[in-house]
Amino acid sequence: MTATDTLVRPNLARDTRNVLTRELKPVVRDPFTLIFSLLQPLVFLGLFAPLLIGDSGQPAGETLAWFVPGVLVMIVLFGTGATGSNLQYEMMTGSHERTLVAPLARSSLLVGRALKEIAPIVVQALVIVLIAWPFGFAADILGLLIGLALLAVFGVGLGSLSYSLALATKDREWLFWGVQQSLIFPLLILSGMLLPLDDAPEWMRAVASVNPVNWVVQAERALFAGDLGDVTVLWGWVSALAVAVVGLIVGVRAIRRSN
């Protein structure tokens, strides 16, 4: 074996780093895409939060402490849930096929893309927190940092599942968006992200109890409030890690089978 052969042999850690760098370059060159993707959560923050404040009769800070963590999870849900469309575009243009014949570990193509989702999640979450701060929102600093890590892990899992869906619906973009939209809105509503589920029908509360998004939302609220030892934090981490593990396993298998 020559030195050249050794250099081009696939290496998961090195190849993942290279794919991650490649995927982050467009984000760095065009940061306005991050700002534009904040439009939807800002609309909810600006138009939906005042309704909750007026209806609850509680101080704005207390309502925002309940609402903002849900908005941050919404960013992850909508942002990473749509990332598979980028892979579909690459498949349609042929660039994905070119990466498949490159001397890269195929699993690195999925892992690198999934890890790339961490940067937008952290930046967007911090922007939302800073915007809400002058209106009475406050968060425990340590809880905020742990909450961001939780969002990052959850986002890696959701991003991996989105890429898996893109691979499964190759050349059928309409099917990708149909499945994505059909799943994302029930997960959102049944997470108590926007409205409490305390007075919801029993069947809705039963479904919400097995919805991983619901546990991540509850964990974020507890963390931001400084209740680091709350049991919902444990269940939030269990849910996020489970989604990440399942997403990476399914995604790696899908990309290894892709042609």
Side-chain angles (χ1 to χ4, degrees), residues 67 72 74 85 102 184 242:
F67 187 65
L72 300 187
M74 182 194 300
S85 63
I184 214 163

Side-chain angles (χ1 to χ4, degrees), residues 3-217:
T4 304
D5 293 332
T6 303
L7 287 174
V8 298
R9 286 185 62 188
N11 179 281
L12 179 59
R14 182 199 63 212
D15 296 343
T16 298
R17 183 181 67 250
N18 291 337
V19 172
L20 175 61
T21 302
R22 171 182 176 268
E23 293 293 318
L24 283 174
K25 283 182 178 178
V27 179
V28 175
R29 286 197 300 264
D30 186 18
F32 291 103
T33 56
L34 290 178
I35 298 172
F36 182 77
S37 61
L38 281 169
L39 181 61
Q40 186 178 51
L42 285 175
V43 168
F44 275 95
L45 189 63
L47 299 181
F48 201 86
L51 296 176
L52 291 176
I53 293 171
D55 183 62
S56 65
Q58 295 178 334
E62 292 184 18
T63 303
L64 289 173
W66 183 90
F67 187 65
V68 170
V71 172
L72 300 187
V73 179
M74 182 194 300
I75 290 174
V76 178
L77 193 62
F78 280 95
T80 59
T83 52
S85 63
N86 298 328
L87 180 56
Q88 277 200 326
Y89 177 77
E90 290 186 6
M91 288 189 287
M92 288 188 290
T93 58
S95 61
H96 176 65
E97 283 68 19
R98 289 193 291 273
T99 61
L100 291 178
V101 298
L104 295 169
R106 283 206 170 184
S107 54
S108 70
L109 298 173
L110 186 282
V111 177
R113 285 187 172 105
L115 291 176
K116 167 255 179 183
E117 303 306 325
I118 294 177
I121 287 171
V122 172
V123 172
Q124 292 172 336
L126 288 175
V127 170
I128 290 293
V129 168
L130 290 174
I131 290 174
W133 212 289
F135 298 96
F137 174 73
D140 179 80
I141 299 301
L142 180 58
L144 172 62
L145 295 176
I146 298 174
L148 291 176
L150 177 59
L151 290 176
V153 171
F154 191 49
V156 167
L158 288 178
S160 300
L161 291 173
S162 182
Y163 289 127
S164 304
L165 179 59
L167 290 167
T169 57
K170 182 180 179 181
D171 301 326
R172 290 172 290 177
E173 187 177 7
W174 62 269
L175 183 57
F176 171 85
W177 288 112
V179 174
Q180 192 256 7
Q181 296 295 309
S182 298
L183 291 174
I184 214 163
F185 283 102
L187 288 173
L188 184 150
I189 294 169
L190 293 171
S191 68
M193 189 182 296
L194 301 177
L195 291 170
L197 295 174
D198 299 337
D199 297 325
E202 186 176 347
W203 68 267
M204 289 187 71
R205 285 185 275 118
V207 176
S209 67
V210 294
N211 179 7
V213 184
N214 173 44
W215 290 110
V216 173
V217 170

